[in-house]
Each structure stands twice: as C-alpha cells, then as structure tokens.
Amino acid sequence: MKLFLDTANIDEIKALNNTGFVDGVTTNPSLIAKSGRDLMETIAEICDLVDGPVSAEVTATDAETMLKEGQKLAKIADNVAVKVPLTEAGLLVCKALSDQGTMVNVTLCFSTAQALLAAKAGAKFISPFVGRLDDIGSNGMGLIEEIVTIYANYDMRTEVLVASVRGVQHVVDAALMGADVATVPPQVISAMFKHPLTDKGLAAFMSDWEKTGQSIL
Ligand code: E4P
C-alpha cells in the first residue's frame, strides 16, 4: 500500500521525504489555508520535492470554472493530481480532465454509490473520508471494504485512497482491506514508528552494551 502525506506544510514534507515511504502528498483548501501560503507556489514546491502524485484541489463549484481551475493546476507539474469534489459538476470535470490525460482525485466521498460513479468517470483516485464518517457514528472502514470489493469485482482501475485518517489503526485496516493508498497526517506517521516494547528493548540493549565498555567506532 502506498502512503501519501496529508499536509501542505513544506517543512513536514521535507522532514519525512528522505525516509523512502512518502509516495505522494494530498492537500485540500483547509490545509492550504492552515499553511498560510499561496496555493500555486506551495503545490509547485511540493511537486519539486516529491516524485509521486500531489493532489491540488479546485475551489469552484460549477463545472465550467472548475475545469479551468483544474487545467491551470495540472499545468503546475506532471505529477499534479487535480482534486474535484464528488458532485455532479465534479464528476463531469473528472471525466473531461481524465480524457485530457490529467490524474484526477475525486474527494469528499462518503458512499459506495458515489465511488462507483467516480470510477466510471475515469478517476485515478477515489478519496473516501473514513474519519469524518466515524465522527458521525458511521463505519468509515466499512465503506473502504465495500469500495475495494466493488472495484475488484469489475476490474476498475481507480485507486482507493483512504482519507481523513485519524490514527494508526485506520492505516493498518486500510492495508488489510487491500486499499491502494492511505493519506496520512504527519503525526499519525510518527505514531506508526512507536511501540513501547521497542523503547523498552532498546533501553535494555543500551544498558547492557554500556557495561561491556566497548564501542563500534
Ligand atoms: C485528503 O485528501 C483529505 O482532504 C483529508 O484527508 C481530510 O482529512 P480531515 O477529515 O482530517 O480534514
């Protein structure tokens, strides 16, 4: 499973980019607002840093303006994936941009029926928001299971990109279910490194090593 970083913060991307496990980046208007930076400049900088797909979201809601925005965002770099909302206008634009050879990430997906339509509209990625579903008492990962099954049933090539990830368990469940990608906030990546037995074991090894009086270098 690929891991994307869910952030528009350049420092956070730089800090994790050399680890080898950053396969792409996702942004949205809220993350751009949080960064306090210019959208076009930020996306260009991220595309320079990261080889994989970098999602940049349109902000218009009508199809005509959305398409123009998408075409402008796509020109920033070859690895831009234009993000459109899962609305009727968004899916029209998804089809138009996909036909022009642009990667499209259909976002704000909350149902299996929506995911089916996005795949038929040629989306490269579908982004179901698991955390926001959990927040309202629904089963976010249940949605992932259904989409993965339906796409497999019909050999649909749209990649399931698990979004709105709140913790390590979402990432593990996504991988168990065969999702293609999870987009993960940097703080969840940090939590993925950690295990109390790793800390305890390392402390014991260090203490025993110190007693030997040896050094490797
Ligand atoms: C990424 O593509 C989504 O926009 C993001 O994961 C949404 O996360 P949130 O529900 O924590 O805002």
Side-chain angles (χ1 to χ4, degrees), residues 107-214:
T107 189
L108 290 167
C109 171
F110 293 96
S111 81
T112 314
Q114 288 180 318
L116 187 56
L117 293 180
K120 292 184 77 73
K124 168 77 178 164
F125 301 106
I126 181 71
S127 290
F129 278 32
V130 294
R132 292 193 196 187
L133 279 170
D134 290 353
D135 290 346
I136 60 158
S138 287
N139 177 6
M141 292 315 298
L143 174 60
I144 301 302
E145 200 163 24
E146 286 190 4
I147 298 172
V148 167
T149 303
I150 284 178
Y151 283 5
N153 283 348
Y154 297 101
D155 254 340
M156 287 171 152
R157 281 188 288 170
T158 301
E159 296 186 30
V160 180
L161 193 169
V162 179
S164 189
V165 163
R166 299 278 194 262
V168 174
Q169 199 55 45
H170 275 153
V171 182
V172 173
D173 288 343
L176 284 169
M177 287 173 187
D180 302 280
V181 192
T183 188
V184 185
Q187 65 273 22
V188 175
I189 297 267
S190 302
M192 287 170 72
F193 282 106
K194 296 198 193 319
H195 195 284
L197 290 180
T198 304
D199 296 341
K200 193 177 168 198
L202 186 60
F205 287 157
M206 291 306 97
S207 145
D208 289 341
W209 177 245
E210 215 172 295
K211 288 176 208 148
T212 70
Q214 300 180 50

Side-chain angles (χ1 to χ4, degrees), residues 2 4 23 35 79 86 141 153:
K2 286 171 273 192
F4 288 0
D23 301 305
S35 78
N79 55 335
L86 211 155
M141 292 315 298
N153 283 348

Side-chain angles (χ1 to χ4, degrees), residues 49-93:
L49 283 171
V50 175
D51 290 333
V54 175
S55 289
E57 190 159 340
V58 297
T59 54
T61 51
D62 68 286
E64 197 186 336
T65 320
M66 214 190 271
L67 180 59
K68 285 185 192 147
E69 288 183 351
Q71 286 166 332
K72 186 170 174 184
L73 292 169
K75 281 195 193 122
I76 298 175
D78 288 345
N79 55 335
V80 166
V82 174
K83 234 176 165 189
V84 300
L86 211 155
T87 58
E88 210 173 324
L91 291 189
L92 274 174
V93 173

